[in-house]
Amino acid sequence: MRGLMQGRQLLVSTYLSHAEAYHSEREIVSRMVEGPQHRTTYGALALRARRVANLLADLGLGFGDVVGTLAWNGFRHMEVWYGTSGSGLVCHTVNPRLFPEQIAFIINDARDRILFIDLTFVPLIEKIIDQLPLVERVVILTDRDHMPATSLKNVACYEDLLAGASETFLWPEFDENTASSLCYTSGTTGNPKGVLYSHRSTTIHCMSANFGDALGMRSTDTVMPVVPMFHVNAWSIPYGAPMVGAKLVFPGAALDGASVYQMLEAEQVTLTAAVPTVWLMLLQHLEKTGARLSSLKRVVIGGSAAPRSMIETFQDKYGVAVCHAWGMTEMSPLGTMGSPRAGLDALPHDQALDLQCKQGRVMFGVQMKITDDQGRTLPRDGTAFGNLKVRGPWILETYLHGAGGKVLDDEGFFDTGDVATLDPYGFMQITDRAKDVIKSGGEWISSIDLENAAVGHPEVAEAAVIGVVHPKWDERPLLIIVAKAGAALDRDAMIDFLRPRVAKWWLPDDVVFVDELPHTATGKLLKTRLREQFKDYRLPGL
Ligand code: ADP
């Protein structure tokens, strides 16, 4: 028997319409690429998003066409998001930190017809425009006064186009399975692959992300997504904030500690989210200046593992609760969120921290299992570790154009490429990327655990661990360290520091000090580059 409820479709436009109707005066504050801060409201932004929808139609784009953006977090980027998806087009947020040839590849692969770009990215697009035969027009997200001199042809000024477009537009209703936005994986191996989200997947993901035990955004919150909108839709915050009427603060291009701090304080932000690298810069700024955080209540840390010392500093020194989250582009991106759990919310300090170092608890809507290499499911005991597989309505079925072939197992689970443990309460802990795990004497050593232990040393700024070839053990760990300025750290001191913290046979065979470590476009350690760099490294005694 069918249910007798209305079949209204779940559509991205409805988030903004809701905010326009009931939170129209709530602010959206942006640090602009041009310099000054800009203030608008949901009401005004909704009108401009309709103008975007009209201008796209005026430019000849229609249902299903793809629009690319290369832009920082800001109000204009948000208008383009809603104007595009809301009218049935696909918004492709291009990650400008990818290599230029990867950017050209994904713009072509996605068949972007128009690009909306921030001033910052004009030189980048000038350089690759000859490789972009399908791009008909480049719209620069600025006003007439700031239009740059450019060699780009068919270039337009966003504010001029917007001024000429009508603000009368009725968001159309269409099938919720229609594509709404597109992100590419960061392509650490091979070309990036497209993940095409639908209105339905985006809405369900976002509603779950808004649960109290997840992002927990409320109308009374002021939320600053430092995580870029080109990084898996800023983890859904610019979708979820209008749903609840939270004030939004966009930090623009300035992600250094001082700039992030200035925005947090000036706008009295209560909730924020970003990768550990950003928080490292903020905490260093606070340490240097002795500044305090006067309004921030919660910080979400994800994208790579949050170091224990970072969680501890935020909570114990600054009184900011940490939510350690995990996810990936293929999962829209959220999969686990580290919120307190009944029965485990009153643990002694150190045990509570141990729990928070795990990647969080499985969200409602995500099914998760770990398996051995034969695909057999392993116990959920918090100890066994295996290949982490996921299934759910906001997890991909296949990559764009079928890239990579069939990616689900016979039960419809997607292999995340992570190796993890899962416990009876749903806490998941990543022990490694399948390709980064160090295989020593038939056993696995977690490079992430070693890195986390190493960054616990007060003189270590950043650490990476890779496996290097060993004639007896196959691989042994090599620890590569960026020391803090003025540190007097050496190999033996570092090994002594690790000795009580990790199993004896996990201790790195050697420690190397470098000035900086290579990172991917999303700020993660680029282990492929490190492995290449150290492929001929000879461990001591060999
Ligand atoms: P995103 O763009 O969201 O970072 P990617 O698809 O680029 O997603 O990378 C996802 C991978 O990042 C995960 O499979 C995992 O290896 C890693 N990752 C994400 N969050 C965490 C975390 N909290 N701790 C450890 N690794 C993480």
Tab-separated table of all heavy atoms in Angstrom, residues 95 183-188 195 197 227 230-232 235 275-276 301-306 323-334 336 357-360 388 414 416-419 428-436 448 452 520 522-524, ligand 1:
chain	number	residue	atom	x	y	z
A	95	ASN	N	38.196	23.046	-7.861
A	95	ASN	CA	39.197	23.298	-6.822
A	95	ASN	C	40.409	23.991	-7.454
A	95	ASN	O	41.178	23.362	-8.172
A	95	ASN	CB	39.605	21.974	-6.178
A	95	ASN	CG	40.608	22.166	-5.061
A	95	ASN	OD1	41.208	23.243	-4.927
A	95	ASN	ND2	40.811	21.135	-4.263
A	183	CYS	N	31.548	17.756	-7.895
A	183	CYS	CA	32.897	17.954	-7.336
A	183	CYS	C	33.779	16.843	-7.862
A	183	CYS	O	33.308	15.737	-8.101
A	183	CYS	CB	32.882	17.809	-5.821
A	183	CYS	SG	32.233	19.203	-4.959
A	184	TYR	N	35.057	17.130	-7.952
A	184	TYR	CA	36.004	16.093	-8.378
A	184	TYR	C	36.856	15.648	-7.195
A	184	TYR	O	37.159	16.439	-6.306
A	184	TYR	CB	36.888	16.621	-9.522
A	184	TYR	CG	36.193	16.506	-10.854
A	184	TYR	CD1	35.141	17.356	-11.177
A	184	TYR	CD2	36.547	15.523	-11.772
A	184	TYR	CE1	34.470	17.231	-12.387
A	184	TYR	CE2	35.896	15.396	-12.990
A	184	TYR	CZ	34.854	16.248	-13.290
A	184	TYR	OH	34.192	16.116	-14.482
A	185	THR	N	37.213	14.381	-7.220
A	185	THR	CA	38.165	13.875	-6.221
A	185	THR	C	39.500	14.567	-6.467
A	185	THR	O	39.743	15.072	-7.565
A	185	THR	CB	38.353	12.354	-6.371
A	185	THR	OG1	38.844	12.103	-7.692
A	185	THR	CG2	37.044	11.612	-6.169
A	186	SER	N	40.368	14.566	-5.446
A	186	SER	CA	41.581	15.364	-5.631
A	186	SER	C	42.634	14.692	-6.512
A	186	SER	O	43.609	15.328	-6.886
A	186	SER	CB	42.153	15.798	-4.285
A	186	SER	OG	42.006	14.794	-3.337
A	187	GLY	N	42.412	13.439	-6.890
A	187	GLY	CA	43.273	12.832	-7.899
A	187	GLY	C	44.728	12.682	-7.490
A	187	GLY	O	45.622	13.041	-8.248
A	188	THR	N	44.944	12.167	-6.282
A	188	THR	CA	46.330	11.938	-5.878
A	188	THR	C	46.947	10.843	-6.747
A	188	THR	O	48.142	10.818	-6.957
A	188	THR	CB	46.434	11.528	-4.390
A	188	THR	OG1	45.300	10.764	-4.043
A	188	THR	CG2	46.531	12.725	-3.487
A	195	VAL	N	32.163	13.475	-9.071
A	195	VAL	CA	31.106	12.946	-8.204
A	195	VAL	C	29.917	13.898	-8.361
A	195	VAL	O	30.014	15.075	-8.038
A	195	VAL	CB	31.578	12.887	-6.734
A	195	VAL	CG1	30.473	12.315	-5.853
A	195	VAL	CG2	32.852	12.048	-6.603
A	197	TYR	N	26.382	15.082	-7.462
A	197	TYR	CA	25.362	15.041	-6.414
A	197	TYR	C	23.997	15.384	-7.003
A	197	TYR	O	23.904	16.125	-7.974
A	197	TYR	CB	25.696	16.049	-5.309
A	197	TYR	CG	27.117	15.927	-4.797
A	197	TYR	CD1	28.058	16.917	-5.063
A	197	TYR	CD2	27.525	14.802	-4.097
A	197	TYR	CE1	29.371	16.799	-4.618
A	197	TYR	CE2	28.836	14.670	-3.648
A	197	TYR	CZ	29.751	15.670	-3.917
A	197	TYR	OH	31.049	15.543	-3.488
A	227	VAL	N	36.322	25.900	5.616
A	227	VAL	CA	36.480	24.889	4.565
A	227	VAL	C	35.851	25.458	3.291
A	227	VAL	O	34.739	25.975	3.312
A	227	VAL	CB	35.838	23.540	4.991
A	227	VAL	CG1	34.393	23.698	5.438
A	227	VAL	CG2	35.906	22.541	3.861
A	230	PHE	N	34.619	24.935	-2.637
A	230	PHE	CA	35.096	24.000	-3.667
A	230	PHE	C	35.634	22.721	-3.030
A	230	PHE	O	36.119	21.825	-3.712
A	230	PHE	CB	36.160	24.647	-4.571
A	230	PHE	CG	37.359	25.224	-3.855
A	230	PHE	CD1	38.329	24.405	-3.318
A	230	PHE	CD2	37.510	26.602	-3.727
A	230	PHE	CE1	39.435	24.933	-2.657
A	230	PHE	CE2	38.610	27.146	-3.070
A	230	PHE	CZ	39.582	26.306	-2.534
A	231	HIS	N	35.561	22.622	-1.719
A	231	HIS	CA	35.991	21.408	-1.027
A	231	HIS	C	34.733	20.689	-0.529
A	231	HIS	O	34.300	20.863	0.603
A	231	HIS	CB	36.924	21.794	0.131
A	231	HIS	CG	37.644	20.627	0.724
A	231	HIS	ND1	38.539	20.747	1.740
A	231	HIS	CD2	37.601	19.315	0.438
A	231	HIS	CE1	39.013	19.569	2.062
A	231	HIS	NE2	38.459	18.688	1.296
A	232	VAL	N	34.152	19.895	-1.416
A	232	VAL	CA	32.888	19.178	-1.158
A	232	VAL	C	31.836	20.113	-0.531
A	232	VAL	O	31.305	19.845	0.555
A	232	VAL	CB	33.060	17.931	-0.280
A	232	VAL	CG1	32.048	16.868	-0.721
A	232	VAL	CG2	34.436	17.358	-0.296
A	235	TRP	N	31.355	21.225	3.123
A	235	TRP	CA	30.770	20.253	4.055
A	235	TRP	C	29.299	20.560	4.333
A	235	TRP	O	28.792	20.337	5.418
A	235	TRP	CB	31.582	20.181	5.368
A	235	TRP	CG	33.032	19.857	5.169
A	235	TRP	CD1	33.633	19.436	4.006
A	235	TRP	CD2	34.084	19.933	6.135
A	235	TRP	NE1	34.982	19.247	4.208
A	235	TRP	CE2	35.284	19.539	5.489
A	235	TRP	CE3	34.123	20.284	7.482
A	235	TRP	CZ2	36.514	19.502	6.157
A	235	TRP	CZ3	35.342	20.239	8.137
A	235	TRP	CH2	36.526	19.853	7.486
A	275	VAL	N	39.881	22.063	7.834
A	275	VAL	CA	40.888	21.001	7.953
A	275	VAL	C	41.908	21.383	9.030
A	275	VAL	O	42.053	22.554	9.363
A	275	VAL	CB	41.624	20.771	6.607
A	275	VAL	CG1	40.667	20.235	5.550
A	275	VAL	CG2	42.289	22.044	6.107
A	276	PRO	N	42.648	20.381	9.560
A	276	PRO	CA	43.605	20.662	10.644
A	276	PRO	C	44.637	21.745	10.310
A	276	PRO	O	45.020	22.521	11.187
A	276	PRO	CB	44.292	19.313	10.871
A	276	PRO	CG	43.319	18.298	10.408
A	276	PRO	CD	42.554	18.925	9.283
A	301	ILE	N	36.506	19.616	12.917
A	301	ILE	CA	37.813	19.364	12.296
A	301	ILE	C	37.707	18.076	11.495
A	301	ILE	O	37.328	17.038	12.030
A	301	ILE	CB	38.923	19.210	13.359
A	301	ILE	CG1	38.898	20.397	14.335
A	301	ILE	CG2	40.285	19.077	12.693
A	301	ILE	CD1	39.963	20.316	15.432
A	302	GLY	N	38.034	18.141	10.214
A	302	GLY	CA	37.959	16.937	9.388
A	302	GLY	C	38.809	17.102	8.152
A	302	GLY	O	39.510	18.101	8.002
A	303	GLY	N	38.728	16.122	7.271
A	303	GLY	CA	39.515	16.174	6.035
A	303	GLY	C	40.831	15.446	6.192
A	303	GLY	O	41.302	14.788	5.286
A	304	SER	N	41.455	15.559	7.326
A	304	SER	CA	42.521	14.651	7.759
A	304	SER	C	42.475	14.605	9.278
A	304	SER	O	41.714	15.363	9.900
A	304	SER	CB	43.902	15.004	7.210
A	304	SER	OG	44.084	16.361	7.093
A	305	ALA	N	43.261	13.708	9.844
A	305	ALA	CA	43.104	13.427	11.275
A	305	ALA	C	43.417	14.648	12.138
A	305	ALA	O	44.411	15.337	11.927
A	305	ALA	CB	44.008	12.269	11.652
A	306	ALA	N	42.550	14.912	13.099
A	306	ALA	CA	42.800	15.996	14.056
A	306	ALA	C	43.795	15.491	15.094
A	306	ALA	O	43.520	14.509	15.779
A	306	ALA	CB	41.497	16.395	14.731
A	323	CYS	N	34.535	18.815	17.419
A	323	CYS	CA	33.836	17.700	16.780
A	323	CYS	C	34.743	17.205	15.659
A	323	CYS	O	34.975	17.908	14.678
A	323	CYS	CB	32.496	18.170	16.227
A	323	CYS	SG	31.648	16.908	15.290
A	324	HIS	N	35.304	16.017	15.850
A	324	HIS	CA	36.199	15.437	14.849
A	324	HIS	C	35.350	14.675	13.845
A	324	HIS	O	34.594	13.783	14.220
A	324	HIS	CB	37.188	14.508	15.567
A	324	HIS	CG	38.292	13.991	14.706
A	324	HIS	ND1	39.201	13.073	15.145
A	324	HIS	CD2	38.647	14.277	13.438
A	324	HIS	CE1	40.067	12.805	14.180
A	324	HIS	NE2	39.752	13.526	13.130
A	325	ALA	N	35.442	15.056	12.582
A	325	ALA	CA	34.559	14.465	11.570
A	325	ALA	C	35.364	13.809	10.470
A	325	ALA	O	36.507	14.163	10.225
A	325	ALA	CB	33.676	15.545	10.978
A	326	TRP	N	34.728	12.868	9.815
A	326	TRP	CA	35.374	12.185	8.700
A	326	TRP	C	34.398	12.088	7.529
A	326	TRP	O	33.185	11.964	7.730
A	326	TRP	CB	35.791	10.776	9.125
A	326	TRP	CG	36.138	9.852	7.989
A	326	TRP	CD1	37.354	9.689	7.405
A	326	TRP	CD2	35.244	8.982	7.291
A	326	TRP	NE1	37.276	8.765	6.386
A	326	TRP	CE2	35.989	8.321	6.296
A	326	TRP	CE3	33.873	8.707	7.400
A	326	TRP	CZ2	35.425	7.397	5.420
A	326	TRP	CZ3	33.298	7.792	6.525
A	326	TRP	CH2	34.080	7.132	5.552
A	327	GLY	N	34.957	12.160	6.343
A	327	GLY	CA	34.125	11.970	5.161
A	327	GLY	C	34.974	12.031	3.922
A	327	GLY	O	36.198	12.084	4.006
A	328	MET	N	34.320	12.038	2.780
A	328	MET	CA	35.066	12.136	1.527
A	328	MET	C	34.157	12.661	0.424
A	328	MET	O	32.929	12.636	0.545
A	328	MET	CB	35.688	10.787	1.155
A	328	MET	CG	34.692	9.670	0.992
A	328	MET	SD	35.456	8.024	1.039
A	328	MET	CE	36.847	8.228	-0.042
A	329	THR	N	34.781	13.138	-0.654
A	329	THR	CA	34.035	13.696	-1.781
A	329	THR	C	32.904	12.750	-2.205
A	329	THR	O	31.786	13.194	-2.467
A	329	THR	CB	35.007	13.924	-2.962
A	329	THR	OG1	36.124	14.679	-2.476
A	329	THR	CG2	34.343	14.677	-4.086
A	330	GLU	N	33.210	11.470	-2.233
A	330	GLU	CA	32.232	10.471	-2.683
A	330	GLU	C	31.053	10.343	-1.721
A	330	GLU	O	30.081	9.660	-1.996
A	330	GLU	CB	32.911	9.101	-2.822
A	330	GLU	CG	33.893	8.991	-3.987
A	330	GLU	CD	35.322	9.431	-3.635
A	330	GLU	OE1	35.492	10.205	-2.663
A	330	GLU	OE2	36.243	8.990	-4.347
A	331	MET	N	31.155	10.989	-0.535
A	331	MET	CA	30.092	10.873	0.487
A	331	MET	C	29.448	12.219	0.801
A	331	MET	O	28.851	12.371	1.870
A	331	MET	CB	30.680	10.292	1.768
A	331	MET	CG	31.265	8.905	1.602
A	331	MET	SD	31.946	8.316	3.163
A	331	MET	CE	30.451	8.049	4.112
A	332	SER	N	29.621	13.182	-0.040
A	332	SER	CA	28.899	14.480	0.026
A	332	SER	C	29.304	15.520	1.075
A	332	SER	O	28.663	16.547	1.119
A	332	SER	CB	27.391	14.254	0.204
A	332	SER	OG	26.867	13.488	-0.806
A	333	PRO	N	30.158	15.443	2.039
A	333	PRO	CA	31.151	14.405	2.299
A	333	PRO	C	30.957	13.668	3.624
A	333	PRO	O	31.721	12.785	3.930
A	333	PRO	CB	32.418	15.249	2.418
A	333	PRO	CG	31.971	16.469	3.159
A	333	PRO	CD	30.552	16.711	2.699
A	334	LEU	N	29.936	13.992	4.447
A	334	LEU	CA	30.027	13.551	5.851
A	334	LEU	C	29.619	12.096	6.073
A	334	LEU	O	28.613	11.625	5.531
A	334	LEU	CB	29.175	14.470	6.735
A	334	LEU	CG	29.617	15.946	6.697
A	334	LEU	CD1	28.624	16.839	7.431
A	334	LEU	CD2	31.007	16.113	7.292
A	336	THR	N	31.015	10.336	9.447
A	336	THR	CA	31.026	10.181	10.907
A	336	THR	C	31.254	11.541	11.548
A	336	THR	O	31.923	12.398	10.979
A	336	THR	CB	32.161	9.242	11.379
A	336	THR	OG1	33.404	9.732	10.876
A	336	THR	CG2	31.958	7.816	10.931
A	357	CYS	N	39.855	11.387	19.490
A	357	CYS	CA	40.855	11.225	18.431
A	357	CYS	C	40.345	10.268	17.362
A	357	CYS	O	40.816	10.261	16.232
A	357	CYS	CB	42.172	10.722	18.998
A	357	CYS	SG	43.039	11.985	19.916
A	358	LYS	N	39.354	9.442	17.720
A	358	LYS	CA	38.715	8.624	16.698
A	358	LYS	C	37.969	9.567	15.751
A	358	LYS	O	37.724	10.721	16.089
A	358	LYS	CB	37.750	7.626	17.337
A	358	LYS	CG	38.463	6.603	18.209
A	358	LYS	CD	37.546	5.459	18.581
A	358	LYS	CE	38.327	4.396	19.343
A	358	LYS	NZ	37.621	3.120	19.374
A	359	GLN	N	37.574	9.061	14.571
A	359	GLN	CA	37.019	9.965	13.558
A	359	GLN	C	35.541	10.279	13.765
A	359	GLN	O	34.932	10.979	12.971
A	359	GLN	CB	37.266	9.392	12.168
A	359	GLN	CG	38.595	9.808	11.553
A	359	GLN	CD	39.820	9.303	12.312
A	359	GLN	OE1	39.767	8.332	13.050
A	359	GLN	NE2	40.948	9.966	12.112
A	360	GLY	N	34.952	9.776	14.859
A	360	GLY	CA	33.555	10.109	15.126
A	360	GLY	C	32.656	8.901	15.011
A	360	GLY	O	33.117	7.780	14.763
A	388	LEU	N	37.371	-0.093	4.914
A	388	LEU	CA	36.150	0.575	5.348
A	388	LEU	C	35.224	0.781	4.155
A	388	LEU	O	35.610	1.386	3.155
A	388	LEU	CB	36.531	1.923	5.970
A	388	LEU	CG	35.394	2.797	6.462
A	388	LEU	CD1	34.658	2.143	7.616
A	388	LEU	CD2	35.941	4.154	6.896
A	414	PHE	N	30.433	0.982	-1.042
A	414	PHE	CA	31.544	1.658	-1.709
A	414	PHE	C	32.792	1.529	-0.833
A	414	PHE	O	32.733	1.786	0.379
A	414	PHE	CB	31.184	3.134	-1.907
A	414	PHE	CG	32.332	3.983	-2.381
A	414	PHE	CD1	32.774	3.886	-3.697
A	414	PHE	CD2	32.965	4.877	-1.525
A	414	PHE	CE1	33.847	4.663	-4.132
A	414	PHE	CE2	34.027	5.651	-1.962
A	414	PHE	CZ	34.470	5.541	-3.268
A	416	THR	N	35.960	2.839	0.633
A	416	THR	CA	36.485	4.194	0.823
A	416	THR	C	37.988	4.300	0.591
A	416	THR	O	38.506	5.411	0.482
A	416	THR	CB	36.230	4.671	2.271
A	416	THR	OG1	36.957	3.811	3.154
A	416	THR	CG2	34.753	4.634	2.621
A	417	GLY	N	38.683	3.154	0.579
A	417	GLY	CA	40.151	3.220	0.471
A	417	GLY	C	40.795	3.509	1.809
A	417	GLY	O	42.015	3.616	1.905
A	418	ASP	N	39.981	3.643	2.851
A	418	ASP	CA	40.526	3.823	4.197
A	418	ASP	C	40.552	2.481	4.913
A	418	ASP	O	39.750	1.587	4.619
A	418	ASP	CB	39.656	4.800	5.008
A	418	ASP	CG	39.856	6.238	4.560
A	418	ASP	OD1	40.985	6.593	4.208
A	418	ASP	OD2	38.876	6.998	4.567
A	419	VAL	N	41.479	2.385	5.867
A	419	VAL	CA	41.540	1.213	6.728
A	419	VAL	C	41.137	1.699	8.115
A	419	VAL	O	41.632	2.735	8.579
A	419	VAL	CB	42.969	0.623	6.743
A	419	VAL	CG1	43.065	-0.538	7.713
A	419	VAL	CG2	43.365	0.205	5.336
A	428	MET	N	34.261	5.179	14.740
A	428	MET	CA	35.139	4.655	13.691
A	428	MET	C	36.512	5.308	13.870
A	428	MET	O	36.586	6.499	14.196
A	428	MET	CB	34.535	5.013	12.332
A	428	MET	CG	35.257	4.462	11.135
A	428	MET	SD	36.606	5.482	10.619
A	428	MET	CE	35.753	6.797	9.781
A	429	GLN	N	37.545	4.533	13.701
A	429	GLN	CA	38.886	5.121	13.758
A	429	GLN	C	39.681	4.716	12.536
A	429	GLN	O	39.857	3.523	12.251
A	429	GLN	CB	39.633	4.676	15.016
A	429	GLN	CG	41.011	5.333	15.098
A	429	GLN	CD	41.558	5.371	16.509
A	429	GLN	OE1	41.281	4.467	17.305
A	429	GLN	NE2	42.324	6.394	16.829
A	430	ILE	N	40.124	5.725	11.805
A	430	ILE	CA	40.956	5.456	10.634
A	430	ILE	C	42.321	5.038	11.147
A	430	ILE	O	42.925	5.739	11.966
A	430	ILE	CB	41.146	6.729	9.792
A	430	ILE	CG1	39.815	7.335	9.366
A	430	ILE	CG2	42.061	6.474	8.609
A	430	ILE	CD1	39.304	6.928	8.052
A	431	THR	N	42.813	3.902	10.660
A	431	THR	CA	44.184	3.559	11.027
A	431	THR	C	45.126	3.903	9.879
A	431	THR	O	46.314	4.053	10.102
A	431	THR	CB	44.319	2.082	11.432
A	431	THR	OG1	43.757	1.289	10.395
A	431	THR	CG2	43.582	1.793	12.720
A	432	ASP	N	44.591	4.049	8.672
A	432	ASP	CA	45.420	4.461	7.544
A	432	ASP	C	44.616	4.560	6.262
A	432	ASP	O	43.480	4.120	6.200
A	432	ASP	CB	46.566	3.464	7.308
A	432	ASP	CG	47.901	4.170	7.272
A	432	ASP	OD1	47.951	5.271	6.697
A	432	ASP	OD2	48.863	3.647	7.826
A	433	ARG	N	45.269	5.139	5.223
A	433	ARG	CA	44.779	4.933	3.871
A	433	ARG	C	45.309	3.563	3.475
A	433	ARG	O	46.447	3.196	3.845
A	433	ARG	CB	45.367	5.972	2.891
A	433	ARG	CG	44.881	7.370	3.049
A	433	ARG	CD	43.427	7.550	2.716
A	433	ARG	NE	43.135	7.445	1.288
A	433	ARG	CZ	41.886	7.403	0.812
A	433	ARG	NH1	40.844	7.410	1.631
A	433	ARG	NH2	41.674	7.332	-0.481
A	434	ALA	N	44.507	2.791	2.732
A	434	ALA	CA	44.955	1.446	2.366
A	434	ALA	C	46.347	1.500	1.716
A	434	ALA	O	47.182	0.639	1.955
A	434	ALA	CB	43.938	0.805	1.436
A	435	LYS	N	46.588	2.581	0.931
A	435	LYS	CA	47.872	2.614	0.219
A	435	LYS	C	49.015	3.184	1.062
A	435	LYS	O	50.163	3.121	0.664
A	435	LYS	CB	47.732	3.370	-1.109
A	435	LYS	CG	47.192	4.765	-0.995
A	435	LYS	CD	46.897	5.293	-2.393
A	435	LYS	CE	46.478	6.746	-2.388
A	435	LYS	NZ	45.398	7.127	-1.468
A	436	ASP	N	48.714	3.726	2.231
A	436	ASP	CA	49.766	4.322	3.073
A	436	ASP	C	50.197	3.428	4.231
A	436	ASP	O	51.207	3.689	4.883
A	436	ASP	CB	49.285	5.658	3.679
A	436	ASP	CG	49.061	6.716	2.623
A	436	ASP	OD1	49.634	6.562	1.521
A	436	ASP	OD2	48.332	7.677	2.886
A	448	ILE	N	49.293	6.942	10.390
A	448	ILE	CA	48.564	8.060	11.030
A	448	ILE	C	48.790	8.067	12.540
A	448	ILE	O	49.015	9.114	13.138
A	448	ILE	CB	47.059	7.980	10.696
A	448	ILE	CG1	46.853	8.280	9.217
A	448	ILE	CG2	46.257	8.958	11.545
A	448	ILE	CD1	45.422	8.232	8.755
A	452	ASN	N	50.410	11.159	14.545
A	452	ASN	CA	49.719	11.822	15.658
A	452	ASN	C	50.583	11.843	16.910
A	452	ASN	O	50.635	12.839	17.631
A	452	ASN	CB	48.398	11.121	15.976
A	452	ASN	CG	47.350	11.457	14.946
A	452	ASN	OD1	47.493	12.445	14.227
A	452	ASN	ND2	46.322	10.644	14.859
A	520	THR	N	48.483	17.911	-0.768
A	520	THR	CA	47.570	17.817	-1.906
A	520	THR	C	46.779	19.116	-2.001
A	520	THR	O	46.885	19.981	-1.130
A	520	THR	CB	46.555	16.680	-1.727
A	520	THR	OG1	45.705	17.041	-0.617
A	520	THR	CG2	47.204	15.361	-1.446
A	522	THR	N	43.863	19.578	-1.305
A	522	THR	CA	42.938	19.774	-0.192
A	522	THR	C	43.673	19.791	1.144
A	522	THR	O	43.082	19.575	2.194
A	522	THR	CB	41.832	18.689	-0.178
A	522	THR	OG1	42.449	17.418	-0.342
A	522	THR	CG2	40.835	18.909	-1.270
A	523	GLY	N	44.988	20.029	1.091
A	523	GLY	CA	45.740	20.251	2.325
A	523	GLY	C	46.199	18.986	3.028
A	523	GLY	O	46.678	19.045	4.152
A	524	LYS	N	46.037	17.828	2.359
A	524	LYS	CA	46.495	16.600	2.999
A	524	LYS	C	47.944	16.319	2.628
A	524	LYS	O	48.408	16.772	1.583
A	524	LYS	CB	45.645	15.428	2.519
A	524	LYS	CG	44.291	15.463	3.137
A	524	LYS	CD	43.388	14.466	2.496
A	524	LYS	CE	42.059	15.121	2.479
A	524	LYS	NZ	40.944	14.459	2.195
B	1	ADP	P1	37.703	15.634	1.191
B	1	ADP	O1	37.772	16.344	-0.111
B	1	ADP	O2	36.481	15.749	1.994
B	1	ADP	O3	38.949	15.759	2.039
B	1	ADP	P2	38.665	13.553	-0.145
B	1	ADP	O4	37.781	12.718	-0.970
B	1	ADP	O5	39.651	14.460	-0.785
B	1	ADP	O6	37.664	14.265	0.748
B	1	ADP	O7	39.472	12.726	0.910
B	1	ADP	C1	38.803	11.834	1.742
B	1	ADP	C2	39.815	11.133	2.580
B	1	ADP	O8	40.378	12.034	3.521
B	1	ADP	C3	39.211	10.048	3.423
B	1	ADP	O9	39.018	8.886	2.684
B	1	ADP	C4	40.263	9.913	4.497
B	1	ADP	O10	41.353	9.145	4.076
B	1	ADP	C5	40.733	11.325	4.684
B	1	ADP	N1	40.069	11.920	5.840
B	1	ADP	C6	38.984	12.711	5.873
B	1	ADP	N2	38.679	13.071	7.136
B	1	ADP	C7	39.589	12.482	7.938
B	1	ADP	C8	39.815	12.436	9.349
B	1	ADP	N3	39.056	13.100	10.206
B	1	ADP	N4	40.851	11.704	9.807
B	1	ADP	C9	41.651	11.022	8.960
B	1	ADP	N5	41.485	11.024	7.627
B	1	ADP	C10	40.472	11.738	7.115
